[in-house]
Amino acid sequence: NKGKYEHYMQKEIHEQPESLTTTMRGRLIRGGSCKAKSVLLGGLKDHLKTIRRSRRIVFIGCGTSYNAALAARPILEELSGVPVTMEIASDLSDRQGPIYREDTAVFVSQSGETADTLHALEYALENGALCVGITNTVGSAIARTTHCGIHINAGCEIGVASTKAYTSQIVVMAMMALAIGGDTMSKQARREAIIDGLFYLPNKVREVLKLDQDMKDLAKLLIAEQSLLVFGRGYNYATALEGALKVKEVSLMHSEGILAGEMKHGPLALVDESLPIVVIATRDACFSKQQSVIQQLHARKGRLIVMCSQGDAASVCLGGSCRVIEVPQVEDCLQPVVNIVPLQLLAYHLTVLRGYNVDQPRNLAKSVTTQ
Ligand code: M6R
């Protein structure tokens, strides 16, 4: 039931404040006067010691689920102290890449039925790794086959383009990082700040959803373009990949997410006065580097659309020549949850304006059950 919405994708984008709340329900413990703030993940608690002792944590997934893991990777590295590597499921299988008994392999999948991810799971089980599932579907193949896991609880997602599952996946993996790192006293203040950030996150997403009309206006400007680049780095490298994936899969416009640190190693050659480029430059440790990226793109007359934190328009938009998307600032590791929303809205409006099927893009299936 689409309720007041015209499409499932639109409904699922707009229900993210609620889906995020459901994802966190009963899992955040904000303590009393003397109790520390913490996270409780029932499905993981008996395995936390093993995970902390693992030689590395390997995230495995496809498409949007892979991007969600990429967004969570930095906070997991920071809080757990365990090396974290990333694998696209099909690539791991193609290479028969090394997976060891001392590894924790985390399988991320909205449907829990993706053939590539399931195949990589069987391979990791054969190799003796501890296998953790992060899925949105209770009783799915991945949920059943892994040793333990966390349900995303984002509610049923119908649009082929994954939206609310993505933001809930990031939140689940941030909570996982908090749980794994939960025994380090030196990081208690950081953990508490993230727990507070999680608590306020649904309201921040509610706020960013107010950009709907702005994103529709931007979509009108971009309707006839051939291509859209999205530059991000740090926590928001994943936002660049995921924003571009959304645009290409539903609006059928070519789009590419680019790690801003790679700009001079090739992509800079594409920059001219006509190619639209989204630069994600919200406040975090990478902000000054992104300011310099903006300067360099500006010097080459790039057609810039800059996403920045509220109040930063003047410091990112040189000479007032670019379009700005101002978003609320949250704890750095949670910023990808806020930042993806305007790009989801942009992809949605572009698709509707271009007259394509937004919930069922051509050639795609919601659950890819063949390899
Ligand atoms: O169900 P899964 O999360 O395992 O699906 C993985 C991908 O097929 C999926 O995320 C796909 O990339 C989406 N259509 C993206 O919106």
Side-chain angles (χ1 to χ4, degrees):
N1 183 342
K2 295 197 277 271
K4 60 177 179 179
Y5 296 101
E6 274 175 60
H7 303 101
Y8 283 110
M9 181 182 179
Q10 184 189 27
K11 172 175 180 273
E12 287 158 6
I13 292 172
H14 285 274
E15 71 192 13
Q16 289 178 103
E18 291 74 38
S19 52
L20 289 167
T21 304
T22 318
T23 296
M24 291 186 274
R25 184 161 296 135
R27 290 168 163 176
L28 295 185
I29 298 157
R30 294 189 82 223
S33 47
C34 51
K35 255 178 101 192
K37 293 171 187 168
S38 61
V39 154
L40 183 71
L41 296 171
L44 218 59
K45 69 176 187 338
D46 294 338
H47 300 269
L48 286 175
K49 269 195 192 144
T50 318
I51 299 174
R52 285 178 193 136
R53 280 199 301 255
S54 17
R55 156 153 132 182
R56 67 175 175 157
I57 296 168
V58 191
F59 275 128
I60 301 159
C62 308
T64 289
S65 293
Y66 175 90
N67 293 343
L70 189 66
R73 177 194 200 179
I75 194 59
L76 192 62
E77 285 176 331
E78 180 189 330
L79 295 183
S80 72
V82 180
V84 182
T85 61
M86 303 289 311
E87 292 282 358
I88 292 177
S90 62
D91 188 45
L92 178 67
S93 303
D94 290 347
R95 294 176 0 252
Q96 297 281 289
I99 295 284
Y100 304 105
R101 313 175 38 97
E102 301 82 2
D103 287 334
T104 295
V106 183
F107 294 85
V108 189
S109 172
Q110 189 284 132
S111 62
E113 302 290 346
T114 300
D116 287 323
T117 312
L118 249 178
H119 192 260
L121 167 57
E122 278 151 19
Y123 172 72
L125 286 169
E126 278 162 28
N127 285 273
L130 173 70
C131 293
V132 180
I134 298 186
T135 78
N136 197 32
T137 317
V138 177
S140 61
I142 292 173
R144 282 184 278 115
T145 317
T146 40
H147 297 116
C148 57
I150 315 168
H151 287 301
I152 298 164
N153 295 343
C156 182
E157 191 180 65
I158 293 171
V160 165
S162 186
T163 52
K164 63 176 182 169
Y166 177 72
T167 47
S168 282
Q169 281 167 335
I170 298 175
V171 160
V172 159
M173 288 181 267
M175 291 194 293
M176 181 171 114
L178 290 162
I180 297 172
D183 62 345
T184 345
M185 272 322 290
S186 61
K187 291 182 181 145
Q188 183 62 20
R190 169 76 159 143
R191 280 200 306 273
E192 295 204 357
I194 299 170
I195 292 172
D196 286 341
L198 284 169
F199 187 77
Y200 297 116
L201 196 55
N203 270 335
K204 299 289 180 179
V205 170
R206 207 162 273 129
E207 215 181 301
V208 78
L209 280 165
K210 293 184 188 148
L211 292 174
D212 192 31
Q213 185 58 46
D214 290 9
M215 292 303 109
K216 191 172 178 183
D217 295 343
L218 180 59
K220 283 180 190 157
L221 283 181
L222 300 177
I223 184 169
E225 295 301 332
Q226 296 282 323
S227 180
L228 177 71
L229 300 188
V230 190
F231 279 70
R233 73 196 309 148
Y235 290 110
N236 289 290
Y237 172 37
T239 311
L241 295 187
E242 176 60 10
L245 177 57
K246 286 295 87 99
V247 168
K248 84 178 84 160
E249 78 169 324
V250 289
S251 81
L252 316 188
M253 179 188 290
H254 169 257
S255 187
E256 209 181 316
I258 295 174
L259 183 69
E262 281 287 285
M263 181 180 73
K264 291 182 190 162
H265 305 287
L268 198 52
L270 292 170
V271 179
D272 63 13
E273 285 165 34
S274 56
L275 173 68
I277 305 175
V278 176
V279 183
I280 301 160
T282 42
R283 288 275 171 173
D284 60 18
C286 294
F287 180 64
S288 60
K289 287 187 183 171
Q290 281 305 73
Q291 278 184 307
S292 121
V293 162
I294 293 168
Q295 270 164 18
Q296 294 172 55
L297 292 171
H298 184 68
R300 284 159 187 87
K301 301 196 168 36
R303 191 173 153 202
L304 303 186
I305 302 152
V306 181
M307 185 185 296
C308 66
S309 303
Q310 276 163 356
D312 266 350
S315 41
V316 295
C317 185
L318 303 159
S321 60
C322 56
R323 233 189 135 88
V324 174
I325 306 170
E326 284 188 74
V327 299
Q329 192 179 345
V330 294
E331 198 65 17
D332 53 8
C333 61
L334 305 177
Q335 195 69 50
V337 173
V338 169
N339 290 1
I340 195 58
V341 174
L343 302 178
Q344 293 172 341
L345 290 168
L346 177 65
Y348 169 76
H349 287 299
L350 263 178
T351 311
V352 175
L353 290 167
R354 283 159 68 96
Y356 295 120
N357 186 336
V358 70
D359 285 331
Q360 180 53 77
R362 69 179 182 206
N363 308 336
L364 297 183
K366 179 68 183 159
S367 177
V368 185
T369 51
T370 51
Q371 279 187 288

